[in-house]
Amino acid sequence: MSFDRPYALFTHPVNKIEKSGGSGEYLPWEFPLAFWLEQHGYDVSYISNIDTHADPAGLLRTKGFISVGHDEYWTEDMYDNVMHARNEGVNLAFLSANAVLCVVPLHPSSSGRPYRTTRREGWFFPEQSEFGDRGRTESPYEKGFKPTLGRDGALLMGARTTPPVRGAGDWTCALPEHWLFAGTGMKKGDSVKGLIGWEWHGAPMMDLPGMQIVAEGETRINGKQPGHYTATIYDGPKGNIIFNAATIWWANGLSSPPGHATPVRHGVTQQGVDERVQRITHNLFRRIVSQKA
């Protein structure tokens, strides 16, 4: 794939929007979060994956790094830079799923402009994972060269993509006494309907410091192909926190800006804005903001 081309029309995989004018997945996932953050006066700045790849020092100028929506394709430099930021005390919020899955490079264009072309080269899996040998064998995306097996995405996020990858379901509270749930009124087993989808994270890395599963439950694809997601939080090395919401659809529980459409997929309709999702996110971001630099 190359950025040196006109944007093509994009058929969105959830809402089947036929003409999104080259906006890709920004309007379904990133925009609802940005709309909500600015509505509530959070001091935020915006970067692209190229910045995450090429400007590691820039990541250290903030208290928190947020991954949003469908953040699947990462370079190994992106992984290393965000891991370094975590180790230096930056908080991480993965309001996303299927994130840190595929290893991609960023190559220059034919004219020499940096970071203009990319391709899928492998996977952020451990040697042994739920995908078996998938990370060590050639796929159609990797035809003609040896696939790269990157570092484990769960070591960064707290969990990783697991089979069957796709699916939808309810985001169900597993640890109501945790500070994330303060003021939500949620009890163990209470759910936000349809918040999980269309892909998710599972397989928590339980030996990370302070690892806790804050929500978990079942996913289905049109009533079949069960999966199990886990939303997690663990402690960084300098008092920072790393939260993994385990769903692409998290931001749809925060706001529905003008023109926004609520996703429907796998037989599940995401219910849209929910005060409990808003409160959990406020609790998370206020904890991040209140920490000393």
Side-chain angles (χ1 to χ4, degrees):
M1 185 186 76
S2 171
F3 291 111
D4 291 337
R5 54 164 174 71
Y7 275 118
L9 295 179
F10 181 84
T11 301
H12 194 267
V14 172
N15 291 320
K16 302 185 186 305
I17 300 171
E18 293 183 0
K19 295 181 178 180
S20 64
S23 62
E25 298 182 10
Y26 170 76
L27 292 175
W29 319 132
E30 282 89 347
F31 183 43
L33 176 66
F35 185 90
W36 183 83
L37 285 168
E38 297 197 9
Q39 186 181 44
H40 291 279
Y42 285 100
D43 181 8
V44 293
S45 58
Y46 301 97
I47 62 173
S48 72
N49 286 6
I50 293 174
D51 298 305
T52 307
H53 170 87
D55 183 22
L59 299 177
L60 304 181
R61 294 196 293 265
T62 183
K63 289 188 175 182
F65 171 89
I66 308 172
S67 161
V68 191
H70 186 208
D71 197 8
E72 180 174 354
Y73 299 97
W74 281 48
T75 68
E76 292 187 286
D77 284 349
M78 287 173 62
Y79 184 102
D80 292 342
N81 293 343
V82 175
M83 183 68 83
H84 176 69
R86 185 206 71 173
N87 293 343
E88 291 298 311
V90 175
N91 299 276
L92 310 179
F94 289 92
L95 309 183
S96 54
N98 201 37
V100 198
L101 177 68
C102 293
V103 177
V104 300
L106 283 171
H107 295 303
S109 67
S110 58
S111 64
R113 293 180 64 194
Y115 318 130
R116 300 302 292 176
T117 62
T118 188
R119 69 184 182 190
R120 184 185 295 186
E121 287 196 348
W123 312 91
F124 284 103
F125 289 150
E127 285 294 331
Q128 299 295 325
S129 77
E130 298 78 4
F131 286 103
D133 290 336
R134 181 180 177 187
R136 295 184 295 283
T137 58
E138 185 179 272
S139 80
Y141 297 100
E142 298 144 5
K143 191 172 180 60
F145 59 93
K146 185 178 180 181
T148 298
L149 198 63
R151 276 78 74 201
D152 188 355
L155 289 172
L156 179 64
M157 298 185 291
R160 71 173 82 92
T161 300
T162 59
V165 180
R166 296 179 299 276
D170 302 335
W171 198 86
T172 302
C173 175
L175 198 66
E177 64 272 19
H178 195 278
W179 56 259
L180 271 173
F181 295 102
T184 65
M186 295 186 77
K187 300 178 177 61
K188 188 171 184 176
D190 288 350
S191 298
V192 180
K193 296 295 183 183
L195 188 62
I196 292 291
W198 82 88
E199 294 168 328
W200 42 272
H201 293 147
M205 186 66 67
M206 294 306 297
D207 56 354
L208 286 169
M211 169 59 72
Q212 295 176 294
I213 295 173
V214 294
E216 64 178 327
E218 188 176 79
T219 65
R220 295 274 179 171
I221 302 174
N222 297 317
K224 302 175 182 179
Q225 294 179 256
H228 191 87
Y229 73 88
T230 52
T232 58
I233 193 165
Y234 75 92
D235 299 330
K238 296 191 176 182
N240 48 326
I241 50 180
I242 296 86
F243 173 66
N244 149 52
T247 173
I248 291 173
W249 291 354
W250 185 265
N252 292 285
L254 295 176
S255 76
S256 185
H260 179 257
T262 301
V264 179
R265 200 174 188 190
H266 302 318
V268 172
T269 300
Q270 204 279 318
Q271 69 180 21
V273 176
D274 189 286
E275 290 183 355
R276 296 168 296 177
V277 178
Q278 294 174 329
R279 183 57 185 263
I280 290 167
T281 312
H282 275 310
N283 290 342
L284 174 66
F285 288 166
R286 287 169 181 167
R287 178 68 65 103
I288 289 173
V289 170
S290 67
Q291 287 186 347
K292 294 181 179 179

